[in-house]
Amino acid sequence: MTAKRSVVLGCGSYLPQKVLTNAELAARIDTSDEWIVQRTGIRERHIAAEGEFTSDLALHAARAALDHAGLDAQAIDLIVLATSTPDNTFPATAVAVQNGLGINHGAAFDLQAVCSGFVFALATADNFLRAGAYKRALVIGAETFSRILDWNDRGTCVLFGDGAGAVVLEAQDQPGKPSDRGVLTTHLRSDGRHKAKLFVDGGPSTTQTVGHLRMEGREVFKHAVGMITDVIVDAFNATGTTAEDIDWFIPHQANKRIIDASAHKLHIAPQKVVLTVDQHGNTSAASIPLALAVAVKDGRVKKGDLVLFEAMGGGFTWGSALVRW
Ligand code: ACO
């Protein structure tokens, strides 16, 4: 019996040109390279230029993913864009990308699950494709978090960066076995009791301002590893796989300590973990496809590899996806 799967045809990413190092931050606020590296593993992050918007970053990443897939943009009939930093309150940043690609058929919409956005968007697109509603999807994570940071709050402004990443998915009939290519399983969770632990203190309905990111860092840290590992165990159970079967673990890049602790708890070997947080910082919904693009480009991720994604973020939201490349 065959099964419809969302097979990844290509991926791409984009980082703004400007790099902001820890040393530059230390010259502006009371922090140090040593403190940031020790607590987070972050050494530098990219910052969007004035006049460079989330949709610009997303469009670059989408074009790179289409190039990598060897596809014309007209082949795409669904765009799901995960972001917490849209160009405008509305319309969706996804329609700006759709327009930039010259597509005027199919559907394009944004999805908001903060740092879990890419996994939520991947799961959403996968369900549409497997249901037969669309044929080929662009799944994009794109952020300009630099625009919602309080640059005087050293507890948060050192953590985040800007960037975008994208994958192209195509609905294909596969043999219906664990060795199938494509998205094998996705697991999404949310718990709104934690909504005040990581939030932006503004918005159209509350303050009519954009607001700034606020976070109880310790509280986030306390919950992160348990939530991440729970939802990965769900992915293992759903597919009959174990940590041994994983070729590459590509987690949301928030903090090296959270990543290391999660991999350790799950017995995922350190050499299977893709780490880019040192160079990108936390780019929220963009971090997984940015890391994926690095590991594909340098030849680590190869056809047939089993790739595990996970993310956790504001809400709280968290999720996992298991994909055969
Ligand atoms: N430089 C120097 N000192 C700092 C800085 C800084 N940038 N930020 C905070 N401190 C100080 C604090 O003021 C405090 O000083 P005090 O003891 O004199 O009061 C001290 O460092 C300890 O502060 P804590 O906030 O308790 O530091 P902690 O060890 O918890 O580390 C951190 C903070 C790195 C944010 C940590 O809590 C963390 O990683 N949390 C996870 C949060 C995260 O990754 N969020 C990303 C978004 S959610 C997600 O994507 C999963």
Side-chain angles (χ1 to χ4, degrees):
M1 204 181 72
T2 61
K4 212 175 264 308
R5 301 277 194 199
S6 309
V7 174
V8 185
L9 298 184
C11 65
S13 65
Y14 176 79
L15 288 161
Q17 218 174 355
K18 173 155 179 52
V19 174
L20 178 65
T21 64
N22 290 349
E24 287 172 86
L25 277 170
R28 290 192 208 164
I29 53 167
D30 184 13
T31 189
S32 66
D33 177 57
E34 193 194 359
W35 192 96
I36 301 170
V37 172
Q38 193 197 33
R39 305 284 174 123
T40 71
I42 299 167
R43 293 180 185 279
E44 57 189 37
R45 70 287 290 145
H46 291 248
I47 303 291
E50 210 183 315
E52 190 175 37
F53 306 139
T54 295
S55 62
D56 298 317
L57 275 47
L59 192 52
H60 283 298
R63 287 195 174 120
L66 286 166
D67 273 357
H68 186 234
L71 272 191
D72 187 273
Q74 296 308 320
I76 300 295
D77 55 2
L78 176 66
I79 300 175
V80 186
L81 188 149
T83 190
S84 300
T85 46
D87 291 8
N88 297 93
T89 302
F90 76 78
T93 300
V95 299
V97 174
Q98 185 195 31
N99 186 47
L101 292 172
I103 305 173
N104 48 29
H105 59 267
F109 60 91
D110 286 2
L111 184 152
Q112 216 279 73
V114 204
C115 297
S116 309
F118 181 75
V119 174
F120 275 57
L122 188 73
T124 303
D126 174 47
N127 278 291
F128 274 119
L129 294 189
R130 284 190 300 106
Y134 298 97
K135 179 72 180 149
R136 284 180 212 89
L138 258 172
V139 179
I140 306 170
E143 304 279 14
T144 47
F145 256 54
S146 62
R147 307 258 156 82
I148 55 164
L149 296 175
D150 174 352
W151 287 97
N152 295 313
D153 175 12
R154 67 178 182 170
T156 55
C157 76
V158 303
L159 302 175
F160 297 91
D162 301 338
V167 298
V168 178
L169 299 178
E170 180 178 72
Q172 290 184 7
D173 288 323
Q174 291 280 310
K177 295 184 176 158
S179 57
D180 282 0
R181 290 192 67 208
V183 179
L184 301 180
T185 193
T186 58
H187 299 267
L188 308 181
R189 296 284 307 278
S190 311
D191 185 346
R193 284 176 298 178
H194 302 288
K195 69 186 172 69
K197 292 180 178 129
L198 175 53
F199 69 108
V200 170
D201 63 4
S205 183
T206 50
T207 59
Q208 299 83 55
T209 63
V210 172
H212 292 113
L213 183 147
R214 306 291 174 205
M215 178 175 74
E216 292 177 36
R218 288 214 163 172
E219 281 294 311
V220 176
F221 201 102
K222 204 172 82 187
H223 287 91
V225 177
M227 288 177 165
I228 289 164
T229 51
D230 272 3
V231 83
I232 289 174
V233 169
D234 288 345
F236 287 157
N237 290 341
T239 51
T241 53
T242 68
E244 293 245 308
D245 301 313
I246 301 304
D247 293 298
W248 299 107
F249 178 42
I250 309 189
H252 166 50
Q253 308 283 320
N255 183 309
K256 188 172 182 302
R257 286 191 300 156
I258 295 175
I259 295 171
D260 288 347
S262 306
H264 181 76
K265 193 172 166 192
L266 291 160
H267 305 292
I268 296 174
Q271 62 271 21
K272 293 181 176 179
V273 182
V274 175
L275 265 182
T276 50
V277 69
D278 55 333
Q279 290 168 52
H280 300 168
N282 181 349
T283 57
S284 192
S287 92
I288 292 174
L290 273 164
L292 171 68
V294 168
V296 169
K297 196 168 182 194
D298 68 20
R300 270 179 288 178
V301 174
K302 294 179 292 297
K303 195 171 172 183
D305 281 355
L306 195 56
V307 184
L308 174 64
F309 301 121
E310 65 76 6
M312 181 261 183
F316 293 143
T317 53
W318 64 108
S320 65
L322 198 54
V323 177
R324 183 155 330 261
W325 198 253

